[in-house]
Amino acid sequence: MERYLGENTPKLGFGLMRLPKLADKSIDIEQGKVMVDRFMEAGFTYFDTAYVYTGSEAATKEILVDRYPRESYTLATKINAGEWCGATDAEKCKAEFEESLKRTGAGYFDYYLLHALGAKNKERYDAFGIWDFVKEKKEQGLVKHWGFSFHDTPAVLDQLLTEHPDAEFVQLQLNYADWEDPENRSRECYEVARKHGKSVVVMEPVKGGTLAKPPRAVAELLKAANPEASPASWAIRYVASLDGILTVLSGMSTTAQMEDNISFMKDFRPLDEEEQKTIAAAQKALAEVDQIKCTACRYCADGCPMEINIPGIFAAMNRYKIWEDEAGARQEYEQATKDKGKASDCIQCGQCEAACPQGLPIIERLQECAAFFE
C-alpha cells in the first residue's frame, strides 16, 4: 500500500452532525462530553463538523475544544457557498471561516473542506474564489490540510481533481449499499479519487442509519455470518478496509452507538475474504428492496417554507417499504407531522431538491407519501 495523507490516523472519526438532543431539540452538551471523553479514551482523534450543521460548531467548543489540549485531536469543518445557507456573495461566504473559528474557538483547523461540491454548485465556489481563499488560509497556518466533500458523478469528481490537483483529500459518501448504486456510484467515485492519489474521508458509512437497521433479509444474512457483530460494524469495517482511507466518519448520537463502534474499531481488522462474500450477498439482497434513499442530513427540511419534516416522513415510508410494518409506519408518520407540515402540504418550490446532496426527487416522493398516508 502506498503512503498517503492520514495513513496513521485512527480509522474511526466522530461526525458531529447528529449529536444527541434534549427534549427541546437543542444539543445535549453533557451527553456530548461523555461521548467525546469515551472517544478520546479509546485513542480516536478525528472530529468533523461544518458551518451549516446547526449548533454543531458551538457545541464542539463546549464538548471538545474547551476541554482538551489543542494538539490532542484533529478538527475538520467546512465552508458552504450555497445561497440557501446565506452565502449570497463572496464576502458572506468567506465570512463563514471567521465565524467557524469564533464558534469553535479552535484557533486553526486541521482539515478544512469546500462543502458538498457537485455540478450544480461548483461555479459558485469558482466565482467566489473559495479555492484560492482556502489555500491562503493554509499559507497563514490557519488550515493544516484542505480538500472538499463531494456529491455527484465520477466524471464531475474527475474534472474537479484535474482542475484542482493540489486538493489534499476528498470526502466521499461510501457504503456497501451505494457501492454499485447507479445514482450514487460510490465505487467509481472512490476509484477516481484514488486514481488522482487522494486520501479519502468516508461519510455516510451506514447511510444515515439505514445499514445499522437494514432490511430483514440483509440483517439475517449478517447475523448468520457472525451472530455477535452488529449490522453497523459490517458497514463501517467494509469501508475502513479500503486502501487510502484517512478515516471513516460515524455520526454517533448515543453512547450505545459509540460503544459499539469502539468495540470493533479500537483494534480494527479489515474484512477477510469470507466476510467480503457476506457483504456481496447483502448488497444483492439490498438491491432488491424498494426504499427512499434518504440519509436524514436534513438539508432539505431546514429550509422548507412549509416546515415539512421530510426525513421523518421518508423514514416512516421506509418503515413500510422495508419492514412491511404499516401500523408502525402510520404511527411514525403521525409523529413526523405533529406540529409540522404534512407530505401533501408541499408547494413544489424545489428548495429541498436544490439542497439535497443525494439528488433525490423529493417532490415526487412526497406525493407518493401523501397518497399512502393521507
Side-chain angles (χ1 to χ4, degrees):
M1 181 185 295
E2 66 183 52
R3 299 183 66 84
Y4 63 94
L5 173 66
E7 63 179 333
N8 295 319
T9 300
K11 299 309 170 201
L12 179 64
F14 194 166
L16 301 172
M17 184 172 75
R18 297 183 173 95
L19 287 167
K21 298 292 182 64
L22 296 169
D24 64 0
K25 305 302 182 183
S26 64
I27 293 173
D28 186 339
I29 296 298
E30 294 309 310
Q31 183 72 1
K33 289 178 181 178
V34 171
M35 294 175 71
V36 165
D37 290 348
R38 185 69 184 95
F39 189 76
M40 294 285 282
E41 278 174 19
F44 299 106
T45 58
Y46 193 107
F47 295 84
D48 173 89
T49 183
Y51 176 82
V52 298
Y53 297 170
T54 304
S56 179
E57 288 186 325
T60 300
K61 183 177 191 299
E62 292 191 67
I63 66 178
L64 173 67
V65 176
D66 288 347
R67 303 173 61 243
Y68 283 90
R70 183 62 184 88
E71 67 277 5
S72 66
Y73 60 86
T74 56
L75 180 62
T77 194
K78 311 174 189 77
I79 186 170
N80 196 302
E83 188 171 5
W84 62 273
C85 68
T88 53
D89 56 40
E91 183 178 354
K92 289 179 180 177
C93 185
K94 293 175 182 178
E96 293 177 15
F97 182 85
E98 293 300 329
E99 180 63 20
S100 291
L101 280 179
K102 179 180 177 182
R103 288 174 179 174
T104 63
Y108 64 89
F109 298 115
D110 301 275
Y111 300 95
Y112 198 63
L113 298 84
L114 285 68
H115 197 178
L117 266 289
K120 292 181 180 179
N121 65 6
K122 64 185 184 66
E123 288 83 3
R124 293 181 66 84
Y125 287 93
D126 294 339
F128 291 170
I130 302 304
W131 300 95
D132 289 337
F133 173 74
V134 171
K135 284 184 273 190
E136 288 170 7
K137 294 304 175 185
K138 180 175 180 179
E139 291 173 0
Q140 295 167 7
L142 296 174
V143 168
K144 301 300 182 185
H145 304 287
W146 71 275
F148 59 91
S149 64
F150 179 80
H151 293 276
D152 213 310
T153 67
V156 175
L157 179 58
D158 189 56
Q159 177 188 355
L160 286 171
L161 290 175
T162 300
E163 293 174 353
H164 304 283
D166 45 351
E168 296 173 84
F169 66 100
V170 182
Q171 187 162 306
L172 299 175
Q173 178 173 316
L174 303 181
N175 56 69
Y176 71 77
D178 292 331
W179 197 243
E180 299 293 351
D181 182 79
E183 293 180 8
N184 289 291
R185 301 169 71 179
S186 281
R187 175 184 58 78
E188 294 176 73
C189 286
Y190 166 74
E191 290 174 352
V192 167
R194 294 303 292 146
K195 180 187 74 172
H196 284 269
K198 305 306 176 186
S199 298
V200 176
V201 174
V202 177
M203 57 182 164
E204 301 292 356
V206 293
K207 199 171 172 62
T210 301
L211 300 181
K213 296 180 180 179
R216 185 177 293 106
V218 176
E220 289 174 353
L221 275 169
L222 301 179
K223 189 172 182 63
N226 185 345
E228 303 302 318
S230 67
S233 72
W234 286 93
I236 292 175
R237 287 181 59 223
Y238 175 76
V239 288
S241 298
L242 297 168
D243 173 53
I245 300 301
L246 198 162
T247 200
V248 178
L249 299 176
S250 179
M252 295 169 277
S253 302
T254 67
T255 52
Q257 292 172 353
M258 174 73 72
E259 292 299 337
D260 180 49
N261 286 350
I262 288 173
S263 72
F264 57 83
M265 290 301 289
K266 186 174 182 180
D267 298 308
F268 169 65
R269 177 178 59 82
L271 294 182
D272 61 29
E273 186 176 350
E274 286 303 310
E275 290 172 320
Q276 291 285 2
K277 289 179 181 178
T278 297
I279 288 292
Q283 288 171 318
K284 183 178 179 181
L286 194 61
E288 296 173 355
V289 178
D290 176 35
Q291 60 184 292
I292 302 174
K293 297 176 180 178
C294 172
T295 65
C297 69
R298 300 198 62 82
Y299 295 169
C300 58
D302 289 344
C304 176
M306 304 306 291
E307 296 187 351
I308 300 172
N309 180 5
I310 299 169
I313 290 173
F314 286 173
M317 192 70 211
N318 278 340
R319 184 163 184 168
Y320 174 71
K321 286 176 171 287
I322 296 171
W323 299 102
E324 300 177 4
D325 179 7
E326 182 172 350
R330 291 191 178 279
Q331 184 177 14
E332 193 167 338
Y333 179 78
E334 289 181 11
Q335 187 63 34
T337 56
K338 184 180 180 180
D339 302 324
K340 294 286 185 180
K342 295 183 177 181
S344 60
D345 291 331
C346 174
I347 60 174
Q348 302 185 26
C349 67
Q351 181 278 333
C352 55
E353 294 187 355
C356 178
Q358 309 301 319
L360 296 178
I362 295 176
I363 295 171
E364 180 183 330
R365 287 298 201 172
L366 283 174
Q367 291 172 341
E368 175 189 359
C369 294
F372 182 80
F373 287 115
E374 299 176 28

